[in-house]
Amino acid sequence: VNFIDTADSYGPDVAELLIRRALHPYGNLLIATKAGLARTGRDRWVPLGRPEYLIQQARKSQRHLGLERIGLWQLHRIDPAVPRDEQFSAVKTLMSEGVILHAGLSQASVAEIEAAAKFFKVATVQNRYNLTDRSSEAVLDYCEKRGIGFIPWYPLASGELAAPGGVLTEIARKHEAAPSQIALAWLLKRSPVMLPIPGTSKVTHLEENVAAADITLTDEEFEVLDRAGRRVADTAHTRRSSS
């Protein structure tokens, strides 16, 4: 593991300060952070993409993390209340001033990636993606074709697939692994640009997550999981559309 993902709004600020206390100096670790969401209360996340705010927050993250330059900084959300070109221009400014080295987007569409690419090279895209949430399938395919890193957040969700007797559970049993490990192994096999960021608050789960990198699924196992995950995703989409 040589990649740690965080954001200014996690806490807010707490996660960046803890990472610095635990891991600085970072050596070969790449610490990535984000800005563009304001944490205004419990479970409240408000897009805030004013250029001066994004630049302010990136500089604050730079100080909190103890970095001369942030290796990867991501626009946490594109704020619909602010012209997106102004937000992208702020990112370009951060790069030209040496505050950040590489820049990425979070929860972005293909059209938004292409729009941002007119201002800066998009290094990564961080979208919600897992076995049973395939809404960003087109974005992943786009990233893979162009060598853009794809960071799936909420990577372990598997819903009914992890139920007793479910396909995920059965494949996990064959590998003497936990269902969460198989879900991660599936992500890693899905694309060479995939960079999962499973979060955990327990050391045992951390060790499980890391060990998932040593699990190699067969092509047949991958396809079985892929089909099952798509069925669940399609069913969920149909339910949302009809409600």
Side-chain angles (χ1 to χ4, degrees):
V1 175
N2 59 4
F3 177 73
I4 305 293
D5 177 83
T6 188
D8 64 341
S9 56
Y10 297 165
D13 300 330
V14 173
E16 290 180 336
L17 295 170
L18 285 175
I19 286 170
R20 179 176 183 173
R21 189 169 76 185
L23 300 174
H24 192 277
Y26 301 113
N28 293 326
L29 281 175
L30 172 62
I31 310 297
T33 192
K34 303 181 285 293
L37 279 182
R39 184 76 177 273
T40 60
R42 183 178 178 85
D43 298 326
R44 292 187 63 193
W45 306 83
V46 180
L48 186 50
R50 296 196 308 273
E52 66 274 14
Y53 177 77
L54 296 177
I55 292 170
Q56 165 196 296
Q57 292 303 103
R59 291 189 179 280
K60 186 168 72 167
S61 291
Q62 187 183 22
R63 293 194 302 272
H64 283 172
L65 290 168
L67 290 167
E68 291 186 11
R69 182 163 58 173
I70 299 170
L72 174 63
W73 183 93
Q74 303 150 91
L75 182 57
H76 209 158
R77 288 294 185 278
I78 297 174
D79 185 350
V82 178
R84 68 184 184 185
D85 284 3
E86 293 184 11
Q87 299 172 71
F88 299 154
S89 181
V91 179
K92 182 179 179 179
T93 297
L94 288 168
M95 297 182 79
S96 64
E97 293 183 353
V99 179
I100 64 178
L101 178 60
H102 298 291
L105 302 172
S106 179
Q107 211 54 34
S109 66
V110 170
E112 289 167 338
I113 299 168
E114 291 178 337
K118 296 176 182 178
F119 291 82
F120 58 90
K121 182 178 180 180
V122 179
T124 58
V125 175
Q126 182 173 149
N127 280 15
R128 178 167 169 149
Y129 184 84
N130 52 60
L131 257 176
T132 59
D133 187 339
R134 315 296 277 280
S135 56
S136 288
E137 203 77 59
V139 174
L140 173 55
D141 290 340
Y142 180 91
C143 289
E144 185 172 329
K145 290 176 183 176
R146 288 158 180 80
I148 298 171
F150 185 86
I151 307 170
W153 62 271
Y154 206 42
L156 296 181
S158 50
E160 64 190 59
L161 300 186
V167 61
L168 189 62
T169 304
E170 289 303 304
I171 292 176
R173 181 179 56 79
K174 292 178 183 177
H175 285 268
E176 298 182 346
S180 59
Q181 290 177 303
I182 300 302
L184 284 173
W186 179 86
L187 283 172
L188 291 169
K189 190 175 177 68
R190 170 63 180 83
S191 173
V193 299
M194 191 76 75
L195 185 59
I197 48 169
T200 180
S201 59
K202 298 181 184 300
V203 173
T204 52
H205 290 165
L206 171 63
E207 292 170 344
E208 278 186 2
N209 292 340
V210 173
D214 295 325
I215 297 173
T216 301
L217 299 175
T218 66
D219 291 343
E220 180 182 2
E221 289 171 334
F222 176 87
E223 290 299 332
V224 167
L225 287 167
D226 188 63
R227 288 194 298 271
R230 286 180 186 274
R231 282 197 300 270
V232 173
D234 290 344
T235 300
H237 176 74
T238 301
R239 287 172 181 166
R240 287 194 299 268
S241 299
S242 60
S243 61

